[in-house]
Amino acid sequence: MQVLIRANYEEMSKEAARYVSSEMRKKVKFVLGLATGSTPLGLYKELIRMHKEEGLDFENVTTFNLDEYYGLSPTHEQSYSYFMWENLFKHVNIKKENVHIPDGMAKDVEKFCEEYEHMIKEAGGIDLQVLGIGSDGHIAFNEPLSSLGSRTRLKTLTQQTIEDNARFFENKDEVPRYAITMGVGTVFEAHKCILLASSHSKADVIAKAIEGPVAAYITASAMQLHRDTIVVLDEGAAAELKRKDYYRYVDKMVKEFNK
Ligand code: GLP
């Protein structure tokens, strides 16, 4: 795992966009895993800018989103589908048929989840998965005690997640109680992962996920078992890391080595 610490949210987002775009440019048919939440918004803005100004091409990109609230239709303004179209897809040349987001209205949830897993496999797996982290340590919507081998399924959200996400809804009661989410096992089958975290509010959970034990209690900690994960943080999110200086030193040494 490589930990990159950048001065602020903007620098974190630019670093992430440089990485994502350079990976996209390496392969003709690229499979990109995407996340929602406020953290990747800066990354998506930068990718849109790169598309408009630098020809970053989404024509042959296939995407899979991590999760979706159960019970929200894609037209609901708080659905992750709506979020993705508003904040990325409608601004780039991606083909509608190449976009995959779990169906929050699926009638047969189990069958849908199996199909979602199948579609990822059919696409050749995810080349690069973008991740955020919830304040309770979740990746996607894999709440504490989700099996580290879990697959796409329905999950019950914690009260903490409901409260964190209430800011996007009129009130807390409107936040769905369930979500369809890729499992921890599904997520970390991606060939590469990039996890972003910003602000002091994530400092504690980031330190646990990176430097704490691998535990189902903090599902993001499973990234320690993944062989190609980059974590990009701003100073706030990095504040509680014990080996911060070493991660900075590695960052510098890697750059020097690659000169
Ligand atoms: C939701 C999403 C996660 C995301 C998390 C953090 O719970 N399911 O994928 O990482 O929010 O959101 P934010 O970036 O707004 O802190």
Side-chain angles (χ1 to χ4, degrees):
M1 185 196 309
Q2 203 191 347
V3 177
L4 305 178
I5 303 167
R6 296 294 174 261
N8 50 41
Y9 178 77
E10 207 192 339
E11 292 305 316
M12 177 202 76
S13 303
K14 282 190 181 153
E15 185 65 54
R18 266 195 294 276
Y19 184 73
V20 173
S21 60
S22 82
E23 288 300 311
M24 281 172 66
R25 286 185 165 116
K26 281 184 193 164
K27 231 179 143 202
V28 182
K29 286 193 168 193
F30 193 77
V31 183
L32 180 60
L34 294 168
T36 50
S38 17
T39 312
L41 279 173
L43 159 66
Y44 297 158
K45 269 202 188 112
E46 187 60 11
L47 291 179
I48 294 166
R49 189 199 62 74
M50 288 173 159
H51 167 69
K52 297 199 163 136
E53 295 173 14
E54 297 167 12
L56 184 66
D57 193 6
F58 285 77
E59 171 91 25
N60 293 311
V61 174
T62 296
T63 63
F64 286 93
N65 261 79
L66 289 169
D67 47 13
E68 177 60 285
Y69 287 117
Y70 180 66
L72 297 194
S73 77
T75 54
H76 190 290
E77 287 193 13
Q78 297 315 329
S79 73
Y80 284 169
S81 181
Y82 190 88
F83 174 100
M84 287 311 304
W85 280 98
E86 282 303 302
N87 293 301
L88 179 62
F89 299 146
K90 78 174 189 190
H91 307 283
V92 296
N93 65 331
I94 195 155
K95 291 180 187 147
K96 199 164 183 266
E97 62 270 28
N98 287 350
V99 168
H100 304 89
I101 301 172
D103 177 5
M105 300 302 277
K107 290 217 168 64
D108 186 338
V109 174
E110 220 170 292
K111 188 165 162 246
F112 173 80
C113 293
E114 266 172 39
E115 280 167 11
Y116 203 67
E117 290 275 336
H118 183 71
M119 285 190 285
I120 296 172
K121 277 207 181 80
E122 285 286 285
I126 292 171
D127 290 305
L128 174 64
Q129 176 67 57
V130 175
L131 294 164
I133 185 168
S135 66
D136 63 4
H138 68 222
I139 40 150
F141 267 132
N142 291 286
E143 298 288 35
L145 299 197
S146 290
S147 157
L148 299 186
S150 52
R151 312 302 307 184
T152 305
R153 71 218 183 288
L154 188 80
K155 277 302 290 179
T156 306
L157 304 182
T158 60
Q159 279 306 313
Q160 193 175 337
T161 297
I162 291 167
E163 275 156 33
D164 286 349
N165 292 353
R167 67 188 195 277
F168 300 110
F169 292 80
E170 298 249 308
N171 61 63
K172 203 174 109 181
D173 297 337
E174 282 187 19
V175 185
R177 267 43 184 170
Y178 304 100
I180 294 180
T181 179
M182 275 188 209
V184 184
T186 321
V187 168
F188 288 117
E189 263 170 28
H191 304 303
K192 295 184 180 190
C193 295
I194 178 169
L195 185 140
L196 310 181
S198 159
S199 94
H200 209 275
S201 63
K202 296 283 171 72
D204 177 54
V205 79
I206 272 295
K208 286 184 177 132
I210 293 176
E211 295 177 334
V214 174
Y217 193 66
I218 304 280
T219 55
S221 66
M223 70 183 156
Q224 294 177 36
L225 300 171
H226 190 268
R227 63 179 182 185
D228 202 338
T229 289
I230 289 194
V231 180
V232 191
L233 307 172
D234 64 9
E235 289 286 352
E240 301 288 326
L241 289 171
K242 290 192 188 74
R243 298 256 180 214
K244 235 183 338 195
D245 293 344
Y246 176 62
Y247 311 145
R248 284 203 174 96
Y249 174 70
V250 171
D251 185 9
K252 187 174 140 250
M253 293 303 277
V254 168
K255 275 187 196 131
E256 252 169 53
F257 190 82
N258 289 331
K259 253 186 205 165

